[in-house]
Each structure stands twice: as structure tokens, then as C-alpha cells.
Amino acid sequence: MQIKFLDLKTTHNGILEEIQGAIFSTLNSGVYIGGDSVDEFEASYASYLNCKYCVGVGNGLDAIKLSLMALDIKEGDEVIVPSHTFIATWLAVSSLGAVPVAVEPDIDSYSIDVSKIERVISEKTKAIIPVHLYGQPADMDKIIKIAKNHDLYIVEDAAQAHGATYKDKKIGSHGDLVAWSFYPGKNLGAIGDAGAITTNNKDLAEKVRILGNYGSRKKYINEEKGINSRLDSIQASVLNVKLKYLDLWNQQRRSIACAYLEEIHNDQLYLPSKICLADSAWHIFPVRSESRDKIKKKLGNKGIETLIHYPIPPHKQKIYRNDYLNNNLEITEKLSNELFSLPMGPHLTEQDLDYLISKINSTYI
Ligand SMILES: Cc1ncc(COP(=O)(O)O)c(C=O)c1O
């Protein structure tokens, strides 16, 4: 038996005609930048998240970058980021000449360790970027309190958290701006690059829209040093179809996570914390093992594809290594050596899940 980590083709099979119809309709409209499909998606996604504004952009990295630009983050400013995250969180900060200041994760939740944020705040600190990593919301109440006390902005990196809730409120408007990626493999994914920013702040929504459109509100009148990063009309038409299925797919992910949590019994594997079950969008189901590489290989030999999120942390990458030599980021390094991710997504059948669990339970080093 072969079980893929993620299988988008299978997931799309059931809605192929709807997707084709939506693409065809955009093609027929003759409007390929903006237009009805983008307007519809922005309105539907804002309504789904229960927030006021959604602005489509080109991808998730641009969504973070444009959010920081709208808050006037610039060269020399410091922005607090989790050390355990996908590199895009850091790159968005660096792309503006600002400095990513790393904070270690909590060893159980893998989210930014909120108790360590205040000690890195300096006069240069302008913002915090909590990342809802693996679909699990960071502890927003505490982060909001710290941000208020120190007059800092919050830009949430919600690239992995479509449909996740924090204390019964959907992720999408806790911080000043919330950055989304619709990279194909996300819980809500396009068929190419796509992203969005959500917020309840009208001025910020307007600012990110202008910044992503060459700094222009009116054609050929340029008010800001902007970039070109707009949600593609074809991608928006696909997202309009897929948004209708997001809750169903997230429910399937939750059931898979429940089965993993209840039925995996292997004392060489640490499972993610159960407290988070109600809130996570379960983009990723991370497990941790001191024998990670060997277990991963054995599972691979049994036809089970697993991935590592992420094998090299940002501060160990060539582009950042020299600047972070004095940072003691032990937990991040431990996680990059021990974590791996089990297959997760609506493509998994009950039969797949039974096979997965029985093989995981019988794989020891
Ligand atoms: C946590 C996180 N932040 C940012 C991004 C960047 O998104 P994109 O690939 O759409 O640029 C991703 C996904 O790729 C991500 O997982």
C-alpha cells in the first residue's frame, strides 16, 4: 500500500467540474486582473472569517511583507518572529531591511513561547509576527496583551491556519493584519500561488491594497513605493469553489487527528498536545522522535510518505547563519532534528488510516 503525504489530485477529483466551470467563466469574462472572481472571493473569505476586510495578494510571503509595509516597518526596525517557522516569516521582515528577532517555541505546542517575548523587546521593536504553525493558533490573548503594553503591532502569519479558531473566534482578525497563503498544499489552496490579507482596520486594508498595486489607487497615479502583488483572477475563481468545502475538509482533518491521537501507541513517538484539538486546523500532524530519521525511513519502506517541517531552521540557513551565531536556539534545533509530519488531508480513506496507524504502532527502532 502507498500512502501519500498529501494528494491534491484525489481531493480535487470530486469537484473537478465545478473548478473547471469556474475557471471557464473567468476565461469567458475577458477580465484577467481583478474582476468578479476576485471581488467574490474577498467578500466570501472576509465573511467566512467574520472580519471586515480581505485584500487578495499574490502569495503568502507578499501578504506578510505588504502587511509590514502598511505598518511602515523599515530598515533598522526589529520584528519579533518565532525561530521555529517556515522561512517566509523571516524573509518578509528581511526584505524590508528590518531585523527578525527570534523567539524559541514552546516544546509542547511548537508555537512561539510567549513567556520569552518580553525579554527581546527593545526600543527598535515595532511588531510581533505570531505564526499559527501547523494550523494551531498561537496564544493570542497573551500576545495581544504584550503588544498593547509595549505599543507593538501584530501581523499574524496564518498561512497554515484556514478555519482554525482561538477561543471560539476564527483566526483572521485578532492582530492588526493577518497574512494568508493559498499555496496549493494549504487547507485552502489555489492551483498556483495566491494569498490574502485580512483585517478589521479600514485604513490598513486600503493601504495594503494600494501597496500591492504599484502604490496606486488610480491608474498611473502612484502614491506609495508599492509592488505588484495581486490575487490572480483564475486562482480566485478556484478559491471560490474550494472555500465552500473548507469546513468539510477541516472536519476530515480533525477526525484524522483524533484517530492519530487516540490510536497511535508507540513510545518512541511524542504526539502533539491534546488540549489544542478543538482549535487547530490540523494543516500538519507533527510527531517527534529521537529516532526520527530511522523511523521515517522504515515508514517509507512500508509505503508511508512523511515530510519534515522544517529540517533547517531559518537561523541555520546560509543567509542568516552568521547573524545568529550568538542566539541560543536549542529547542528550535531539537525540533528540526526530531519532528516529522504524518500524512494528513481529505485524501486519506478509512482504510488508509487503519493501515497508517497499524504500521506506525509496529514501527520501532
Ligand atoms: C508559515 C508560513 N508562512 C508563510 C508562507 C508563505 O506562503 P507562500 O508560499 O504563499 O508565499 C508559508 C507557506 O508556504 C507558510 O507555511
Side-chain angles (χ1 to χ4, degrees), residues 52-67:
K52 288 190 184 152
Y53 308 100
C54 171
V55 177
V57 301
N59 56 66
L61 171 56
D62 282 354
I64 308 170
K65 176 176 169 161
L66 285 163
S67 299

Side-chain angles (χ1 to χ4, degrees), residues 59-61 64 85-86 88-89 131 157 159-160 181 183 186 194 310:
N59 56 66
L61 171 56
I64 308 170
T85 182
F86 179 57
T89 320
V131 181
D157 179 342
Q160 303 188 357
S181 163
Y183 175 83
K186 303 301 189 201
Y310 298 91

Side-chain angles (χ1 to χ4, degrees), residues 2 8 11 15 66 70 75 81 85 94 126 129 135 176-177 191 223 233 235 250-251 255 266 268 273 306 340 356:
Q2 293 292 322
L8 295 174
T11 306
I15 55 168
L66 285 163
E75 191 159 357
V81 293
T85 182
S94 306
K126 293 283 156 39
I129 310 186
D176 295 286
L177 290 151
I191 51 168
E223 315 166 26
S233 313
Q235 299 305 339
N250 275 350
Q251 195 42 51
S255 311
N266 180 329
Q268 293 186 336
S273 148
T306 58
F340 68 113
L356 275 161

Side-chain angles (χ1 to χ4, degrees), residues 168-182:
D168 291 335
K169 179 179 161 185
K170 278 215 179 88
I171 291 299
S173 57
H174 291 83
D176 295 286
L177 290 151
V178 184
W180 300 92
S181 163
F182 305 118

Side-chain angles (χ1 to χ4, degrees), residues 84-288:
H84 180 60
T85 182
F86 179 57
I87 191 113
T89 320
W90 286 46
L91 289 177
V93 177
S94 306
S95 70
L96 300 175
V99 180
V101 175
V103 172
E104 284 254 82
D106 171 74
I107 187 78
D108 294 318
S109 70
Y110 312 137
S111 248
I112 190 164
D113 184 341
V114 180
S115 71
K116 293 182 179 159
I117 292 181
E118 277 186 305
R119 65 181 79 153
V120 301
I121 294 176
S122 79
E123 282 188 350
K124 294 182 184 167
T125 311
K126 293 283 156 39
I128 307 176
I129 310 186
V131 181
H132 307 305
L133 198 70
Y134 304 147
Q136 193 202 295
D139 197 343
M140 290 310 296
D141 279 355
K142 291 187 187 146
I143 293 170
I144 289 167
K145 198 166 169 209
I146 294 171
K148 276 203 175 120
N149 285 344
H150 297 270
D151 206 12
L152 304 176
Y153 293 114
I154 298 176
V155 172
E156 295 169 68
D157 179 342
Q160 303 188 357
H162 315 78
T165 57
Y166 176 78
K167 296 196 175 164
D168 291 335
K169 179 179 161 185
K170 278 215 179 88
I171 291 299
S173 57
H174 291 83
D176 295 286
L177 290 151
V178 184
W180 300 92
S181 163
F182 305 118
Y183 175 83
K186 303 301 189 201
N187 289 31
L188 178 61
I191 51 168
D193 279 314
I197 296 165
T198 56
T199 179
N200 278 339
N201 183 315
K202 189 171 185 235
D203 294 339
L204 287 176
E206 208 171 303
K207 188 123 191 231
V208 288
R209 189 179 294 287
I210 292 168
L211 284 166
N213 185 39
Y214 308 106
S216 169
R217 194 185 312 247
K218 201 167 170 219
K219 209 165 186 183
Y220 304 129
I221 310 284
N222 302 86
E223 315 166 26
E224 306 269 355
K225 287 183 181 158
I227 59 174
N228 174 9
S229 183
R230 300 173 294 213
L231 175 58
D232 180 275
S233 313
I234 295 275
Q235 299 305 339
S237 63
V238 174
L239 289 169
N240 281 326
V241 173
K242 292 185 70 178
L243 180 56
K244 291 188 267 173
Y245 296 92
L246 178 59
D247 280 344
L248 171 71
W249 289 333
N250 275 350
Q251 195 42 51
Q252 289 169 333
R253 286 174 181 273
R254 285 191 183 103
S255 311
I256 295 163
C258 262
Y260 280 153
L261 286 168
E262 279 165 20
E263 294 168 40
I264 292 179
H265 303 289
N266 180 329
D267 56 20
Q268 293 186 336
L269 293 180
Y270 295 91
L271 302 182
S273 148
K274 242 183 181 173
I275 318 159
C276 317
L277 191 59
D279 294 328
S280 180
W282 291 111
H283 175 57
I284 299 282
F285 191 92
V287 291
R288 197 154 62 78

